[in-house]
Amino acid sequence: ENASHELQTPLAIAQVKLDNLMQDETLTERQASEIQQVYNELRHMSQLSRNLLLLSKIENNQFKEKTSIVVADEINALLPHLETIAGDIRIQLLDDSHNTAIACNHVLLGSMLTNLVVNAVRHNKPNGLIHIHLTPNELTVANTSDDPPLDPAHIFSRFYRTPHNQKSNGLGLAIVKSICDYHQWTITYHHTQALHQFTVRMR
């Protein structure tokens, strides 16, 4: 946790300096390309550090505050952000929850929803779909895909990546599983009719 926290400042400083350097009009095309690649790697490292820090905080029980939250309201509030992440992939929300509220940590719920959608985007196809179905007891996120089924034995392991997706840092689903464990929820994965489907049972 301390290492992940301490890394944030030097990574941020390095990114700012690269931002400034990229404004230099005397850079050649090759130099600009090299700087952009370094910048992308630093951004990846920063995200990895933040994810490791979040996992550490969850496991050390640092998210103690729980409130009554209407999950449908939280999803609707996040939708503009999620649609930006999805790009040309369409998100369909089916809300059968009847405004049911659950006791959970607000920050962790938002993180879980975002990570599930990010995963659905990464394993999707161009102009694909993401289906979000909410009931009083369950949340299901399913996405279209041409990829084969994921490995259920390792899918929630840290740093697990498929041969079709090596750009991920492999922590998104590990974070989702940790958040579910924290709330004593269960999460299952199924692959059916060319859909990757994750279901979180919250009661």
Side-chain angles (χ1 to χ4, degrees), residues 94-155:
L94 178 59
D95 179 13
D96 291 324
S97 67
H98 309 294
N99 291 323
T100 302
I102 60 171
C104 64
N105 181 275
H106 182 259
V107 172
L108 294 183
L109 177 64
S111 179
M112 183 187 77
L113 292 169
T114 300
N115 275 290
L116 283 172
V117 170
V118 167
N119 182 75
V121 170
R122 284 180 175 153
H123 292 279
N124 220 305
K125 59 184 180 180
N127 299 307
L129 292 172
I130 297 174
H131 305 276
I132 302 176
H133 185 201
L134 184 63
T135 72
N137 300 318
E138 293 182 345
L139 166 71
T140 297
V141 178
N143 63 276
T144 53
S145 179
D146 294 326
D147 294 346
L150 303 175
D151 185 350
H154 299 99
I155 191 170

Side-chain angles (χ1 to χ4, degrees), residues 74-107:
E74 182 66 14
I75 293 175
N76 282 312
L78 281 173
L79 263 181
H81 171 62
L82 299 177
E83 287 171 343
T84 299
I85 293 172
D88 63 359
I89 298 169
R90 190 156 50 96
I91 297 178
Q92 294 179 334
L93 172 61
L94 178 59
D95 179 13
D96 291 324
S97 67
H98 309 294
N99 291 323
T100 302
I102 60 171
C104 64
N105 181 275
H106 182 259
V107 172

Side-chain angles (χ1 to χ4, degrees), residues 147-151 160 189 191 196:
D147 294 346
L150 303 175
D151 185 350
Y160 168 74
Y189 165 75
H191 183 267
H196 294 292

